[in-house]
Amino acid sequence: NNFGQLGNGTTNTVANPTPVTVSNIPGSFSVDHLEVGLYHACAISTVGGAWCWGAHSNGRLGTTAGSSVLQPTATSSLGTTARTALAGGSHTCVVLTNDTVTCFGRNNKGQLGQNTTTSENSTPTVVSLSTTASAVSAGNEFTCVLLTTGAVECFGRNDVGQLGEGSTSVSRYTPGTVSGLSGTVVDIVAGTTHACAVMSTGVVRCWGENATGELGVGNYDPSYTAVAIASLNIMPTSTTTTTTTTTTTTTTTSTSVPAAVPENSPTQVAAPQTNTTASSTTTLPASPIKKKKITPIRLRVGRKISAASIAASVSFAIPKQSWGTMRISIMTGGKRCKFSGTSVKAVRRGTCSVAVVLLPKNGKASIRNNTITIS
């Protein structure tokens, strides 16, 4: 708390081992997202306000404060446009409600992505990405952004390959695409000098510094492109609760328990499965995979759509238990769509994307994506 990073109005040089309440946040401020950096923290409200506190240096709080900020203070220039905040070593990036990214703070290695060698900037400034963003993660002196296309662009320090561009360089002041991420990325996280991405298939790929084995690839060599962790896959496992109805049909509802899922990973829920108790034949039912046809989903705020309807929108049918299982995940727009039981509920206007994964007991998994537009 030497820079007021506990946000309780005090500073002290001795670490505080007891949780204290962050003060000065208005009663009307309902926290939707919290992010902790090296010496500062930021909170985002449910209505898009951004409040930060802690070390003020380099403009990392998005204000012109001349000393440490001991209690949360509004980053007023963002108004109510913030969705999530990511705090790095000495800079901050925010995903806005219009799916753009704005950054502020230290810029000695280009970690603000603003194509300028200015050493710092306390004014939130939009990053010029190739398309809109769904998530951002900030490392020590670099930043990576997950685009709505499923690609990843990074910028900033690159002396150990933390930008994943295939080589090393002193720094990069503009966003560049990470190499080695074939497929669709659904989540990213940046460490001090390395980063990892979760693919829609559950594969985890990492790049950057590896001096202590942080890439998980069995050696200590840095990687300048994304490489897969061979032993790790985060497709969810399931626990099931079975109830028998009076029609002799057993309905099983699965609740996903992600296996080794990292923080901030996509929310996942298992679609209901059905299996008739009278079926004792060894013949498997027909595959629920139909000719691919994607029907866009439109919902009004407050309405729900069932797992079966989501599956049907991508030309899948919920399989019988003897054939396989199905998983539905909210990949982007997690603040606009939420799971309600095995249905997806529209919470805010905008869009969210869902992935429907069909997992047969025999054969390869099939994945189809759809977009939910909320009005």
Side-chain angles (χ1 to χ4, degrees), residues 23-373:
S23 58
N24 198 45
I25 292 182
S28 59
F29 190 102
S30 179
V31 176
D32 189 52
H33 179 78
L34 180 68
E35 177 69 11
V36 178
L38 185 60
Y39 297 121
H40 72 295
C42 294
I44 305 298
S45 75
T46 54
V47 295
W51 289 53
C52 299
W53 61 95
H56 75 290
S57 57
N58 308 119
R60 71 190 76 184
L61 304 183
T63 67
T64 57
S67 60
S68 295
V69 175
L70 310 185
Q71 294 177 305
T73 302
T75 304
S76 56
S77 60
L78 292 177
T80 57
T81 63
R83 197 172 78 211
T84 57
L86 281 299
S90 54
H91 74 292
T92 307
C93 290
V94 177
V95 181
L96 305 181
T97 52
N98 62 358
D99 295 332
T100 61
V101 173
T102 183
C103 296
F104 43 95
R106 194 177 187 189
N107 192 46
N108 61 317
K109 299 294 183 180
Q111 57 264 50
L112 300 188
Q114 295 166 5
N115 196 24
T116 176
T117 57
T118 301
S119 62
E120 60 185 47
N121 184 9
S122 62
T123 302
T125 305
V126 174
V127 179
S128 295
L129 301 164
S130 61
T131 187
T132 52
S134 59
V136 62
S137 190
N140 183 32
E141 294 177 325
F142 75 105
T143 306
C144 290
V145 179
L146 172 59
L147 306 178
T148 52
T149 59
V152 176
E153 292 183 352
C154 299
F155 41 92
R157 187 172 181 173
N158 193 42
D159 59 325
V160 287
Q162 52 265 61
L163 301 189
E165 61 181 16
S167 63
T168 59
S169 58
V170 175
S171 58
R172 182 186 180 98
Y173 288 78
T174 57
T177 303
V178 175
S179 300
L181 293 176
S182 56
T184 301
V185 178
V186 298
D187 195 22
I188 56 171
V189 63
T192 303
T193 52
H194 77 294
C196 293
V198 181
M199 313 302 295
S200 61
T201 57
V203 172
V204 178
R205 294 180 177 272
C206 301
W207 61 95
E209 178 64 275
N210 194 35
T212 52
E214 51 264 61
L215 301 188
V217 292
N219 59 49
Y220 300 101
D221 301 322
S223 180
Y224 307 145
T225 61
V227 289
I229 301 177
S231 60
L232 184 61
N233 187 290
I234 66 160
M235 293 299 288
T237 56
S238 301
T239 57
T240 60
T241 302
T242 304
T243 56
T244 304
T245 67
T246 56
T247 58
T248 70
T249 298
T250 301
T251 301
T252 303
T253 301
S254 298
T255 303
S256 291
V257 181
V261 178
E263 201 173 26
N264 296 326
S265 62
T267 306
Q268 298 175 325
V269 69
Q273 306 164 349
T274 57
N275 180 40
T276 56
T277 56
S279 178
S280 59
T281 176
T282 57
T283 304
L284 292 178
S287 167
I289 301 177
K290 303 175 183 178
K291 186 177 180 180
K292 185 176 181 179
K293 180 182 178 182
I294 308 298
T295 303
I297 302 171
R298 296 183 180 278
L299 293 176
R300 290 188 179 277
V301 173
R303 297 294 181 86
K304 299 179 183 180
I305 183 169
S306 67
S309 295
I310 293 174
S313 75
V314 295
S315 300
F316 279 164
I318 295 176
K320 291 185 177 180
Q321 194 174 25
S322 56
W323 190 90
T325 60
M326 176 175 285
R327 295 288 180 271
I328 295 175
S329 302
I330 297 174
M331 295 303 187
T332 63
K335 298 295 187 297
R336 304 181 187 101
C337 294
K338 300 285 186 183
F339 279 110
S340 177
T342 56
S343 297
V344 171
K345 182 178 180 179
V347 178
R348 299 181 184 175
R349 292 182 179 181
T351 61
C352 61
S353 63
V354 293
V356 184
V357 184
L358 197 57
L359 299 164
K361 289 187 175 181
N362 298 298
K364 295 182 178 180
S366 297
I367 303 175
R368 293 179 183 174
N369 299 290
N370 203 353
T371 298
I372 300 176
T373 301

